[in-house]
Structure formats: C-alpha cells, structure tokens
Amino acid sequence: GIASVVAGHPLDTVKTRMQAGQGYGNTLKCVLTVYRNESVAGFFKGMSFPLASISIYSSVVFGVFSSTQRFLNQLRCGDPAAAPSLTDMTVASIVAGVISVGIGTPVDLVKIRLQMQTQPYKKANVKLKPTAPGYPVYRGPIHCFRTILQKEGITGVYRGMVSTLLRDVPGYCAYFIPYAWFCDWITPDGSSSPNPFSIWLAGGVAGAFSWAVCTPMDVVKSRLQADGVYLNQYKGTLDCMLQSYQNEGLKVFFRGLTVNTVRGFPSSAAMFLGYELSLKAMKRYQTETNP
C-alpha cells in the first residue's frame, strides 16, 4: 500500500486538480501550473495521511477479498484453495468495495481537502480573507480531520460516501478480475506462481483499466469532497452530477481520464508487486520457523 501511494500520489494530485479545480486545461498544463506555482512539493500535498493509513486500508481490502473468495470456494466445492470462479471473484470484489468505503472515504476526503485548499474559488462574490481561496485552511491532515469533524460532524467526515461506493464497487471488480486473468495468461505453463515481472505487469494493466472504468464517479467524488473547503455548493451525489452536467456537459465526467489511467499503472503495479512479494516472504519465514 505504501509503495502504491509513493508511486501514484503526484499524478493523483494532478488528477484531483483537473477534476475539481479551475483553469488547468489539459494534463500537461496542469502539471506545469502546479510546478510553477508550488514547485515539486505541490505534487505531494495531502500525501502524509493516506501514507499513514494505507496499510490498514490495503490490509482490509486485500484481506476481505481473499477471505471472501476462500469462503465462497469452501461453499462451492469444499476446498478454500480451489481456483475461484468468475462469480466468486465478482462477489469478493463487490464485498471488498463495500467494506473499503468505511475507511477510504475519510482518507480521501482529507487528502483532497489538502490538495485543493490553495485553489482559486470560482465564485466572484467571495471576498478574500484568511480562510479564503489562496490561503491554507488546514495546517495538516490531523488539523484538517479535526476541523471537518468539529464543523460538519461525522456526516462531514463521510462526505462523498455514496459516490465512493458507486466508484469502488465496479472499480474493484475491474481491478481484481483483470489482474487474476492477465496474471494467469502471462504466466508460463508449468509454473506454480507468476514471476515478479508478470505480477508487476498484470497489476499495472488491471490498475489502468480499473481507473478508466471508475473515472466518471471519481470526478463526482472529487468534486463533492473538495467542495466545502470554503463553502458547500453541492447537496449530494445526484446534485453534483446534475450541476456538473448542466454547467460543463457530458465531457466533465471524463476529466482526468488520461492521468487516471496513466497513474493507475505504476500505482497498482507497485501495490500488487508489494503485496505478492510480502506474502511470499512471510510464508517463507513461517515455513522456516515452523517446519
């Protein structure tokens, strides 16, 4: 999980700015604007909180997926280690997506608020003041989380939960299933497990495909969670979708598609490679200590 955050956060910042910010144009213009205004540090805004919490989040997602898959295998054929069916993988992906929302929503909210708090606000009648656009509202992730909790309550901490759910359920189906298929496809016959390159490549392809699939709802989620740094514009997921469509047309739901897809490859490649190698190392250690 930590490997995926380090590999993908700079492009995640670009993606969030393009989806919820104003005046960035294309991906290259966004990258140059962030660098010119905020230097390299601008790409790493909001990284500390997901970096600190990603271990728990990734453990839950991968643990729930694997445990659900083994449980379904046990019910279907009496062997938890049996090769999973497409139905088993789909159900396990859906369960993992639903469970992940409880942890992922607050983490994404804090990350996006920190990434977006210095952005120019598009309402002309907002007067500049110490908490107005261009001035940092939050001093860091802990201050951000505490401020949201104090001002908006527990519902504020879970702002964007519905859009996160609508993003993550299909997103994890398009994440785990292509990974398993592609891994099997590129693993040589007779090999008991895929080699590190196969894992890296399969994870990257799965990540790119998954993010391409869930970009429309990711746009809605980003806008909902960025909204509220200065004042609330959207009443909920549906209202955000309708306002975005009315103001910018259908193309708004594909903002950040390119950077999302590009970012998905290194981030997910690092995630799956780190997961599989860590799991093998722990199993090997367990075998050596308990023969």
Side-chain angles (χ1 to χ4, degrees), residues 43-111:
F43 296 101
F44 294 92
K45 282 188 174 178
M47 190 176 81
S48 58
F49 194 54
L51 197 63
S53 58
I54 193 68
S55 298
I56 299 172
Y57 179 80
S58 298
S59 297
V60 169
V61 170
F62 278 81
V64 167
F65 174 78
S66 300
S67 298
T68 304
Q69 199 168 246
R70 288 197 299 271
F71 174 72
L72 294 173
N73 286 345
Q74 179 70 41
L75 287 180
R76 182 170 54 86
C77 56
D79 181 10
S85 66
L86 176 59
T87 302
D88 293 343
M89 286 192 289
T90 302
V91 173
S93 299
I94 292 172
V95 173
V98 171
I99 297 298
S100 72
V101 172
I103 301 173
T105 302
V107 173
D108 271 2
L109 177 68
V110 171
K111 172 180 68 75

Side-chain angles (χ1 to χ4, degrees), residues 13-36:
T13 298
V14 174
K15 179 266 299 184
T16 301
R17 296 285 179 90
M18 288 185 68
Q19 290 178 341
Q22 297 293 316
Y24 286 110
N26 56 38
T27 303
L28 180 60
K29 184 181 177 182
C30 182
V31 171
L32 293 175
T33 301
V34 173
Y35 179 75
R36 184 169 57 248

Side-chain angles (χ1 to χ4, degrees), residues 143-157:
H143 179 252
C144 178
F145 184 84
R146 188 169 63 243
T147 302
I148 295 170
L149 190 61
Q150 289 173 346
K151 291 185 176 181
E152 304 174 48
I154 195 67
T155 55
V157 172

Side-chain angles (χ1 to χ4, degrees), residues 164-184:
T164 303
L165 185 67
L166 294 175
R167 181 197 70 170
D168 284 359
V169 169
Y172 277 120
C173 289
Y175 189 59
F176 287 114
I177 296 173
Y179 169 74
W181 281 354
F182 198 70
C183 224
D184 288 341

